[in-house]
Amino acid sequence: MSSRRFVAPTLVATVLLLTSCSPAEFAREQTAEDRPDSVVDGSAGEVDVATLRHVGKADEYDVYFARGSDDSGTLCLSLVLDEVWQSTDCERDYVSVQISDSASVAAEINHRGGENRQMLSENVWISRK
């Protein structure tokens, strides 16, 4: 038997697996709005700037989503207030950043539908107490 018969299905399965674990935000082209200097400079190399995406506003903060610079499974959220970088937090598979006493912004690799969340994008949401 030809080894190509086994390689092609394995290759297709691997590609599908990798793309299914990739947040939808990274599928679109990066724009200038997605890559502000304040986040690039402020995050001090924590984020993979090629994956940096603006996903919306959470209260008064602009929220940016990216992969970690050291690991593609690491997700990062950066907050900007009045064009000034405030913070960047990174965690594996799930990350949450407090924006007030009663709210936080969170991101997860696999969005779980059906939950009551104020979505900013496909994988990023505001959680309120």
Side-chain angles (χ1 to χ4, degrees):
M1 282 198 178
S2 169
S3 64
R4 282 188 270 176
R5 283 186 169 181
F6 297 107
V7 172
T10 303
L11 182 59
V12 169
T14 301
V15 168
L16 289 174
L17 179 63
L18 290 174
T19 56
S20 68
C21 293
S22 182
E25 293 82 357
F26 304 140
R28 70 172 174 79
E29 289 290 319
Q30 187 180 56
T31 66
E33 180 187 22
D34 292 323
R35 193 177 169 150
D37 291 338
S38 64
V39 175
V40 174
D41 297 340
S43 64
E46 287 182 81
V47 302
D48 174 358
V49 294
T51 64
L52 195 58
R53 300 293 188 273
H54 181 259
V55 292
K57 284 191 113 23
D59 296 346
E60 65 273 6
Y61 294 97
D62 281 299
V63 179
Y64 295 86
F65 185 43
R67 289 201 180 277
S69 61
D70 61 339
D71 179 8
S72 65
T74 299
L75 302 177
C76 300
L77 288 172
S78 294
L79 301 178
V80 172
L81 182 61
D82 296 328
E83 298 183 23
V84 176
W85 172 82
Q86 301 297 306
S87 68
T88 296
D89 289 330
C90 301
E91 294 292 333
R92 181 134 181 98
D93 298 331
Y94 172 86
V95 62
S96 179
V97 179
Q98 189 109 13
I99 58 172
S100 71
D101 290 340
S102 61
S104 60
V105 177
E108 185 174 25
I109 285 182
N110 297 313
H111 167 66
R112 292 183 239 168
E115 296 175 25
N116 187 17
R117 297 176 173 174
Q118 182 183 348
M119 301 303 293
L120 293 178
S121 65
E122 183 70 25
N123 297 86
V124 181
W125 66 92
I126 300 171
S127 178
R128 299 195 188 275
K129 296 177 186 175

